Amino acid sequence: MNGDKRLFGVLFISVFSAMLGLGIVVPLLPIYAEELGASGIWIGLIFSGFAAARAFFMPIVGRLSDESGRKRFIVFGLLGYALLSIGYVTAGSVYTLTAVRFLHGIASAMVVPIAMAYIGDLSGRGEEGALMAKFQVSFFLGLGSGPLLGGVLNDAFGFSSAFYAMAALSTLAFLVIVLFLPEAKRPSSRSGDRVSLRWAFRQPGVPAVMAFTALNSAARGLLLVFMPLYAPRISIAPGEVGVILTVSIFLMAFSQVPMGRMADRGYALSMIMAGSVVSAASLALIPATTTFWELFIAAAANGLGSALILPALLAVTVKLGRGMGMGTSMGAYNTAMSLGMITAPLLGGLVMDLSSMELVFVLGGAAGVGASGVVYQLTRRSLEAVEAGGSG
């Protein structure tokens, strides 16, 4: 038990540090890209490149970690985080920035999904939602604190300081993992047999989890990419955008544990549906906002929607992982998250170039609500089967 607590603590601190570094640049990267001459669609490509790299490599890395150990992937991923942070500062063109962002996505594929697989291996039956939710606090506290810190650093010391801070925090996480994280020793599936990715992705419940994860990720992606560009139109400064994003993500962080316990009590399916609708619908409110507080409320509603859905989805993902391999299962979950992040910025950038930024939020919200209802009706039985019988 003490070993499990130590492992949990090491991963918590490391992921918090890494996500704090990433969060620092969230409100600044769209503006940086625009200053380099990026159009709306190219801003979408920059963000989608990061997500595309994650989507492609995460299932592969997840399965390899099930077979050959997890620590090495986290170590190399965090080292990549640190080195690529400097690449952002030296990027002198949109093309270079896109390349750095893509490589950063590859590094990211080695960190969070593998850390989540570590934690999934620790969770007992009936506590999947609670333990994963407790770990997710590290993710959201880091990512949520970052925009506020990034805005402060930008205002006080200039744009480059945020990226140097990301490099320092990634280096700290790297050192903690190298020095204190033991290699995973537990088998992450009941059989221990090698499974193909094609077989894994066809298991009951997997398409449903991936679909809802992608929808939620798309809603968050539209908020993170286009809200910093919309805010100046209603006279909201980058520092204030940081505050809004920080509070939105903090709501997700502090809601994780109680929501995880609720999922373990049998409410996961209701939480998934309700959270998907709230997260998507809140986007449509953004063009109606004209003040700081109105935008604040819209972003907070988006955060609360995600707070409902994520612990429930992770509880189901852990149950699936016991049969197909925890690294493979977490890789599938995070791949779906990346697919949402790929689609949302690209389509949003296209809509922005062809019409207006306001239409990005309206169409995104409406499409998200409709898709959530359709996906739920198509996949309800498979989700119920996973909830009733574990991973089978």
Side-chain angles (χ1 to χ4, degrees):
M1 180 62 70
N2 288 336
D4 289 350
K5 289 182 178 179
R6 179 191 174 197
L7 190 153
F8 184 95
V10 168
L11 289 168
F12 190 99
I13 292 170
S14 300
V15 169
F16 170 77
S17 300
M19 291 303 102
L20 180 62
L22 281 179
I24 282 174
V25 304
V26 164
L28 304 177
L29 192 57
I31 299 171
Y32 181 33
E34 199 169 45
E35 289 177 352
L36 290 176
S39 63
I41 188 64
W42 201 276
I43 291 173
L45 282 170
I46 290 170
F47 277 85
S48 294
F50 179 88
R54 281 171 52 92
F56 181 80
F57 285 100
M58 279 188 296
I60 299 170
V61 172
R63 187 180 67 174
L64 290 174
S65 78
D66 285 336
E67 298 170 357
S68 60
R70 310 202 194 283
K71 180 174 178 176
R72 70 189 71 180
F73 293 104
I74 301 180
V75 167
F76 283 116
L78 288 172
L79 180 61
Y81 270 38
L83 296 176
L84 289 165
S85 299
I86 308 302
Y88 283 101
V89 179
T90 58
S93 69
V94 170
Y95 306 107
T96 305
L97 182 61
T98 304
V100 171
R101 190 71 176 162
F102 183 84
L103 292 173
H104 205 165
I106 296 176
S108 179
M110 301 181 187
V111 180
V112 175
I114 308 305
M116 291 170 67
Y118 261 103
I119 302 302
D121 285 334
L122 297 179
S123 64
R125 295 187 183 277
E127 64 174 22
E128 297 91 352
L131 189 62
M132 290 303 300
K134 185 178 179 182
F135 180 69
Q136 284 288 94
V137 172
S138 68
F139 182 92
F140 290 120
L141 280 182
L143 199 60
S145 303
L148 179 60
L149 181 56
V152 171
L153 288 171
N154 178 67
D155 294 344
F157 303 107
F159 182 81
S160 297
S161 64
F163 292 93
Y164 290 126
M166 180 167 67
L169 288 164
S170 299
T171 301
L172 172 63
F174 166 79
L175 293 174
V176 170
I177 290 294
V178 168
L179 295 175
F180 301 111
L181 182 70
E183 180 56 86
K185 297 179 180 179
R186 301 183 180 187
S188 57
S189 67
R190 285 196 299 258
S191 65
D193 295 334
R194 178 189 177 103
V195 298
S196 71
L197 289 177
R198 181 179 298 179
W199 176 89
F201 278 61
R202 288 178 177 175
Q203 295 310 292
V206 173
V209 168
M210 293 187 70
F212 276 111
T213 303
L215 286 171
N216 181 255
S217 177
R220 293 297 298 173
L222 288 175
L223 183 78
L224 293 175
V225 175
F226 294 100
M227 197 266 278
L229 298 176
Y230 173 77
R233 300 187 179 194
I234 56 174
S235 302
I236 295 177
E240 293 176 307
V241 172
V243 171
I244 291 172
L245 290 176
T246 294
V247 172
S248 173
I249 298 173
F250 271 16
L251 283 172
M252 296 168 63
F254 294 128
S255 300
Q256 289 299 293
V257 174
M259 293 299 179
R261 291 172 181 159
M262 185 182 296
D264 289 338
R265 294 189 184 108
Y267 297 102
L269 302 189
S270 298
M271 293 169 65
I272 288 171
M273 185 58 193
S276 296
V277 171
V278 170
S279 178
S282 61
L283 287 174
L285 297 174
I286 290 179
T289 62
T290 58
T291 67
F292 170 86
W293 287 110
E294 289 173 352
L295 188 58
F296 178 95
I297 291 170
N302 189 275
L304 288 173
S306 294
L308 275 171
I309 189 175
L310 292 177
L313 283 172
L314 282 169
V316 176
T317 302
V318 170
K319 292 174 183 177
L320 290 167
R322 293 198 178 106
M324 60 192 277
M326 202 63 71
T328 303
S329 181
M330 292 300 170
Y333 170 87
N334 283 279
T335 291
M337 186 174 290
S338 293
L339 289 174
M341 285 290 184
I342 293 168
T343 305
L346 283 175
L347 294 181
L350 182 62
V351 171
M352 176 180 163
D353 287 345
L354 295 177
S355 181
S356 68
M357 188 180 301
E358 287 77 9
L359 192 61
V360 170
F361 298 110
V362 173
L363 289 180
V369 171
S372 296
V374 171
V375 170
Y376 184 76
Q377 291 302 318
L378 292 176
T379 62
R380 178 171 55 86
R381 290 184 178 179
S382 65
L383 284 171
E384 287 175 347
V386 176
E387 278 290 279
S391 56

